[in-house]
Amino acid sequence: MIDGQAARPLSVLVVSYRRADLLRRCLDSVHKHLSGCRVLVWDNLSEGSPAVRELQSEYPGVEWVFSDSNVGYAAAINGLAARTEDDMLLLNPDAELTGPLAKSRAALQQPRVAAVSPKVQDDAGGPDWDVARRKQTVLRSLVSHSGYGKRLRGKALSDYYPQQPGAVDGYLSGCCLLISRSAWNELGGFDQKFFLYGEESEWQRRAHSNGWRLILADEADVRHAAGGTMAGDPLAERRARDLLRAGQAEMLGMSNYGPGAIFTAGLNVLDRVQRSHRQDRSREKAAAKARAVPGKPSILLTSNELCQGGAERQRVLLANELSRRGYPVTLACLQHFGPLTPELDPSVRLVLTPWWQPLVDLPTNDAVLITGVTNTEAGFAAGWKALNRHGKWLAATHEPAEAGKPTYGDKLAKVISRSDGVIALSPRHWDAITRHQHLNQNHFIAPNGVPKQQDRGFTPKKPVRLGMLCRMVEHKNPHLLIEALDELKDLDWTLDLHGDGPDRVKLQAMAPENDRVRWHGASPGPDHAFQTFDVLCVPSRAEAFPLVIVEAMARGLPVVSSAVGSVPDLLDNGSAGVLVETVTAAAWATALRPIIEEPARLTPLAAAGARRAAELYTVDAMTDAYETAIAAVR
């Protein structure tokens, strides 16, 4: 019973990372003060995971999830929340309960209360109710990061309350946060564009704007070791700070010139003016330099965001492999992070900075910038080159060539021509993008690659299971493929379409209705999608280098594709897959009929594709090509 009411069931959710000793202390405190509550722990993969696994036998009553990667805090909490229907206590592994949270649990049972936190004992100094913060603004966030927030407590520029609040109009710190299941069900889970930090405050902002309340309970039943899971490792501390800053920028509203971008500009000023920030920068730069292999330049990669696209996935794979080879690597996102963030190795520094702020600390002056060819990335590169006179810039093109006209606008092409070299995806790709305009005298070829995969082999069978995996935009032509198959109603086939995008609803409406066609929506990756089909179809009217083809070839899936962009190079001019020369429904129907009638025709093509992918389109081969370009421009 709580205040005369039956206590609602409470599940304790903990996301662990690195420190098994802190997690043990946390779990012991839960057992002492919240015995009878269900406890779920998600361990994000780290060098500390083996020690965390050893705790499983000590705590058999805990429900454990051991992730095979570090998926971030938001995704981990969402994963745990899906396993329970109770109210939830989100408890940091470096937090220790000192009481039963009776007042907090009672407050959570009040009408329209979304989240409650107790007061928190920590070593940061100041009142134990500083876990509650006022509404965030750019100026308040900058004042807080400067360390003057507490001194200006109660002033308009500070996010610290002048006295202990009850109701909170900003947010509650997430180290010990109780969340109502009703509010969670209504509002949805954490936004997974936040990898670490910011997701709880963004969720609370949604709650507040939808009429829910945030409450600080008048009890200090938790002790918190701030930064405990990162303490003692300068680079881990830097990564945590980078992610904290990015989360704050996203929370404020990240766009090219939005509040989040103004916030990051202010942080750059603080980093270069305030003594404590300068000292942190020097210490972290020295730690990064000490880990670098002598003679290797610093590598700075850019991406607008880490969304589920071929170019973005290539950036992550390249960053990870260059880091493994001893280069100090930084990846700068110019707009947002994204769903590929968990795939980035922790050794790669990840920062969020708008294109007009090319101020990224690198451990060595000898540096190479590798960007895509978008307006934002070219603008970033131009600014970076102006600030780093000895730095080199490689512009890696991933855009399909425009038919009959220049691919890039005149201004963008002029900026590209000032780079130290352009990287194209294949000889055919380079020829196509330079057919109508000059880009650079110096160019290199670096095909995209994927990690080595198990060739699952192709077994001819009926029905022939066809499929697509792509971003659903009109030029990908799923409606054209369905139209082609509509002409083959007499044959035995199915079609599974995976992917989401801005045109999905329109494309579904454009496609002929057919009960053998299934639209699945977003897919977490190739293996998930490839479980539903055996033959990949790529009916696009324009492509540069469709990475999904390499993903399929590497796994032994046969490919049927429009003969656009680099596809003829990928499929060895038809020796490793089926090429459809004319991108029309009639041409696709003509190409598909014989292989649906006799799927054994695809067996030698699938085998040839698997051999070709293993030889030419691996991450090692891609990185070798980039290393050649890096060495050439230094």
Side-chain angles (χ1 to χ4, degrees):
M1 300 288 289
I2 295 178
D3 285 355
Q5 301 181 54
R8 294 201 305 242
L10 182 71
S11 290
V12 181
L13 277 52
V14 182
V15 177
S16 70
Y17 185 70
R18 296 182 75 228
R19 296 285 299 276
D21 57 331
L22 296 179
L23 179 59
R24 176 185 281 109
R25 187 184 68 185
C26 174
L27 293 176
D28 286 344
S29 74
V30 171
H31 178 72
K32 179 178 180 180
H33 296 289
L34 291 177
S35 61
C37 287
R38 188 177 172 193
V39 181
L40 301 92
V41 174
W42 181 296
D43 180 61
N44 271 328
L45 185 67
S46 72
E47 69 276 14
S49 290
V52 172
R53 281 184 178 273
E54 292 179 6
L55 297 181
Q56 190 172 14
S57 60
E58 296 181 37
Y59 300 91
V62 172
E63 298 173 42
W64 296 87
V65 178
F66 292 97
S67 178
D68 58 5
S69 65
N70 180 4
V71 301
Y73 184 77
I77 286 294
N78 288 346
L80 292 178
R83 289 168 164 79
T84 179
E85 289 298 323
D86 300 341
D87 289 339
M88 298 174 290
L89 168 61
L90 312 190
L91 189 63
N92 279 12
D94 55 358
E96 179 184 7
L97 295 181
T98 58
L101 301 175
K103 291 183 179 180
S104 299
R105 296 184 71 180
L108 194 66
Q109 298 196 171
Q110 296 176 19
R112 300 297 289 178
V113 171
V116 178
S117 174
K119 296 184 291 185
V120 176
Q121 310 162 50
D122 61 29
D123 300 325
D128 54 8
W129 39 264
D130 276 348
V131 65
R133 299 293 184 90
R134 300 163 75 189
K135 185 177 180 180
Q136 292 172 299
T137 66
V138 172
L139 285 177
R140 283 179 177 175
S141 298
L142 288 173
V143 168
S144 181
H145 278 270
S146 73
Y148 286 92
K150 292 181 180 179
R151 297 187 192 182
L152 297 174
R153 181 185 300 277
K155 305 294 185 183
L157 292 178
S158 174
D159 62 354
Y160 286 89
Y161 281 99
Q163 56 193 16
Q164 180 175 324
V168 174
D169 67 349
Y171 69 97
L172 297 158
S173 170
C175 78
C176 181
L177 187 68
L178 291 89
I179 288 183
S180 160
R181 169 53 66 173
S182 296
W184 186 270
N185 289 345
E186 178 182 316
L187 300 168
F190 287 159
D191 187 338
Q192 291 180 201
K193 75 180 178 185
F194 296 89
F195 183 72
L196 182 66
Y197 303 117
E199 60 285 304
E200 296 142 323
S201 52
E202 188 277 336
W203 187 88
Q204 292 175 65
R205 183 176 65 178
R206 272 189 279 147
H208 197 268
S209 64
N210 281 277
W212 290 85
R213 295 186 292 150
L214 311 173
I215 301 294
L216 176 68
D218 189 18
E219 62 182 358
D221 280 6
V222 65
R223 186 163 42 241
H224 183 226
T229 59
M230 302 293 181
D233 184 337
L235 294 185
E237 290 175 358
R238 181 183 68 179
R239 182 174 177 82
R241 193 178 78 246
D242 288 339
L243 292 171
L244 174 62
R245 292 177 169 201
Q248 186 76 53
E250 289 280 17
M251 174 64 190
L252 291 167
M254 190 65 187
S255 61
N256 284 339
Y257 307 103
I262 303 303
F263 169 70
T264 61
L267 287 178
N268 278 319
V269 173
L270 286 175
D271 285 345
R272 286 154 179 80
V273 173
Q274 195 171 18
R275 180 186 299 175
S276 60
H277 284 241
R278 294 202 310 268
Q279 291 172 342
D280 287 341
R281 286 177 63 213
S282 297
R283 181 170 58 90
E284 291 160 359
K285 186 174 181 178
K289 187 174 182 178
R291 292 193 182 187
V293 174
K296 301 274 190 181
S298 296
I299 303 296
L300 175 58
L301 295 157
T302 66
S303 181
N304 284 324
E305 58 182 303
L306 297 181
C307 58
Q308 292 279 12
E312 292 77 14
R313 184 173 295 278
Q314 179 266 351
R315 285 285 186 277
V316 170
L317 293 171
L318 179 62
N320 289 346
E321 181 59 21
L322 286 172
S323 178
R324 191 191 69 79
R325 296 186 183 192
Y327 294 86
V329 180
T330 299
L331 177 56
C333 290
L334 308 185
Q335 294 174 349
H336 305 284
F337 290 165
L340 292 180
T341 302
E343 298 184 19
L344 197 66
D345 191 272
S347 64
V348 176
R349 186 184 182 195
L350 177 64
V351 298
L352 180 65
T353 183
W355 71 267
W356 51 275
Q357 296 175 38
L359 302 169
V360 180
D361 285 336
L362 300 175
T364 62
N365 293 327
D366 180 13
V368 178
L369 170 66
I370 302 173
T371 74
V373 181
T374 62
N375 288 323
T376 48
E377 290 176 279
F380 179 94
W384 185 85
K385 282 281 285 183
L387 295 171
N388 298 271
R389 296 291 184 180
H390 300 293
K392 303 299 182 182
W393 170 32
L394 288 167
T397 64
H398 287 84
E399 291 72 32
E402 293 283 351
K405 63 179 181 179
T407 300
Y408 303 105
D410 290 343
K411 290 183 179 179
L412 183 54
K414 187 174 182 179
V415 175
I416 297 170
S417 70
R418 296 172 183 161
S419 68
D420 296 287
V422 174
I423 298 177
L425 294 163
S426 70
R428 188 182 294 261
H429 182 228
W430 175 251
D431 291 343
I433 62 175
T434 56
R435 188 168 295 133
H436 301 286
Q437 66 186 152
H438 170 76
L439 292 180
N440 201 292
Q441 295 287 354
N442 201 19
H443 83 275
F444 307 91
I445 303 299
N448 286 343
V450 300
K452 291 182 179 179
Q453 303 293 332
Q454 180 67 41
D455 179 359
R456 74 186 201 186
F458 175 69
T459 303
K461 59 186 176 182
K462 292 189 178 182
V464 176
R465 302 192 307 164
L466 308 170
M468 286 184 66
L469 172 61
C470 66
R471 187 165 184 258
M472 288 298 168
V473 289
E474 190 168 349
H475 78 266
K476 297 291 186 178
N477 277 344
H479 56 300
L480 181 143
L481 178 59
I482 297 172
E483 184 182 345
L485 288 168
D486 204 46
E487 299 178 21
L488 305 176
K489 291 179 179 178
D490 57 310
L491 302 181
D492 197 7
W493 56 266
T494 61
L495 176 63
D496 288 86
L497 300 158
H498 294 264
D500 207 349
D503 297 340
R504 180 186 168 190
V505 173
K506 180 175 74 171
L507 291 169
Q508 283 190 244
M510 292 169 61
E513 289 190 16
N514 194 307
D515 59 7
R516 288 188 278 176
V517 176
R518 293 181 290 270
W519 296 78
H520 293 272
S523 172
D527 288 319
H528 169 266
F530 292 168
Q531 290 175 4
T532 66
F533 60 85
D534 303 308
V535 181
L536 175 70
C537 295
V538 183
S540 308
R541 68 169 179 262
E543 291 282 2
F545 188 104
L547 195 61
V548 68
I549 288 182
V550 180
E551 297 277 15
M553 291 166 63
R555 292 165 174 80
L557 270 70
V559 177
V560 184
S561 177
S562 302
V564 294
S566 300
V567 173
D569 291 337
L570 283 167
L571 298 183
D572 197 16
N573 296 308
S575 297
V578 177
L579 292 171
V580 183
E581 295 292 341
T582 306
V583 188
T584 64
W588 266 84
T590 299
L592 288 171
R593 178 174 287 280
I595 61 178
I596 295 175
E597 290 177 336
E598 192 179 344
R601 291 170 178 261
L602 294 171
T603 302
L605 297 178
R611 291 192 298 270
R612 189 168 178 80
E615 179 183 353
L616 300 177
Y617 304 124
T618 63
V619 173
D620 281 341
M622 173 184 70
T623 310
D624 288 346
Y626 269 87
E627 281 197 295
T628 298
I630 290 167
V633 299
R634 288 179 65 200

